[in-house]
Amino acid sequence: MAREAPEAEERRHRVDDRLRGRWAGGRGYRVEDPAVKALSVRQPWVDAILYGGKRIENRDWKNSNFRGEFLIHASKGMTREEYADVVDFMTARKELAWRPKPIDQLVRGAIVGRAKVVGIVRPTTSSARLTDDTRGVSRALTDNEDSWWMGGFALALDDVVAFEKPIPFLGSLGFFGTPFDREGRRVP
């Protein structure tokens, strides 16, 4: 069997690496970009996700194709009126034991944890269906999920982790790029 010329073999490897999502950088390979996207969420909903068992993130979107891990960004904005609305929401749902921290103790303008989008919730005529992409099923919401759902499109979350130390960072609307990996370390 004849061997390829060295330059032809190198060219073939470069093409193969691009097709596999790899970048041949000098001496080694870097598999994909390790930086993770983030999603800004207003407080105290962020703390409800991190510490209160909230696994439904309500959005005013129509749809999202995003699935997988993302960093949770606590947005800077939050009015006292918004905070009072969340307290009223929690008071009306006695089945939820979690209550928000005092307004002056909430972290804002920082990346505070990570989670995974595992599916989406879409309203139907009388209830909601969760399409769970990790299990390949469509099902009704559990009682806990239904308590957090507000009637429209929502993201179903899992694998939530709170970071020990917030990372100050400016957020953006929708899912946005960050220079951080899944542990909150800056990517070179």
Side-chain angles (χ1 to χ4, degrees):
M1 183 155 82
R3 283 190 54 107
E4 290 181 81
E7 56 275 354
E9 185 177 4
E10 183 181 336
R11 188 172 41 253
R12 185 176 54 78
H13 284 296
R14 278 197 309 262
V15 170
D16 287 348
D17 290 336
R18 269 184 278 159
L19 292 173
R20 287 189 197 104
R22 296 180 179 166
W23 170 72
R27 297 173 216 259
Y29 293 98
R30 188 169 115 195
V31 178
E32 299 184 3
D33 185 358
V36 178
K37 290 186 180 254
L39 179 66
S40 283
V41 179
R42 293 173 89 78
Q43 283 284 24
W45 297 119
V46 169
D47 276 14
I49 292 169
L50 295 175
Y51 310 112
K54 181 177 186 273
R55 296 299 178 261
I56 298 295
E57 173 53 22
N58 298 283
R59 294 273 134 181
D60 61 1
W61 305 342
K62 300 274 187 242
N63 196 4
S64 175
N65 293 325
F66 182 87
R67 302 294 184 276
E69 280 192 323
F70 69 98
L71 299 174
I72 301 170
H73 178 265
S75 57
K76 269 190 161 179
M78 179 192 63
T79 65
R80 292 193 180 281
E81 185 178 315
E82 289 171 328
Y83 180 82
D85 287 346
V86 174
V87 171
D88 291 346
F89 176 88
M90 296 305 303
T91 304
R93 287 164 174 79
K94 302 203 184 320
E95 69 275 11
L96 299 174
W98 177 84
R99 296 294 181 258
K101 295 178 194 171
I103 196 167
D104 60 335
Q105 293 179 17
L106 295 170
V107 174
R108 293 189 276 169
I111 292 173
V112 294
R114 76 170 179 269
K116 183 186 286 186
V117 175
V118 295
I120 58 172
V121 178
R122 291 181 207 265
T124 61
T125 52
S126 62
S127 63
R129 299 291 297 171
L130 185 147
T131 303
D132 188 334
D133 296 333
T134 60
R135 294 176 186 87
V137 298
S138 176
R139 61 175 176 78
L141 296 178
T142 65
D143 289 342
N144 180 59
E145 291 165 338
D146 193 45
S147 296
W148 294 106
W149 182 60
M150 294 186 182
F153 175 81
L155 303 171
L157 308 179
D158 201 3
D159 299 333
V160 175
V161 175
F163 291 166
E164 286 183 31
K165 186 176 175 187
I167 305 161
F169 196 74
L170 288 176
S172 187
L173 295 175
F175 286 101
F176 60 93
T178 73
F180 303 107
D181 70 7
R182 66 186 301 273
E183 303 297 327
R185 297 177 297 235
R186 190 171 286 277
V187 176

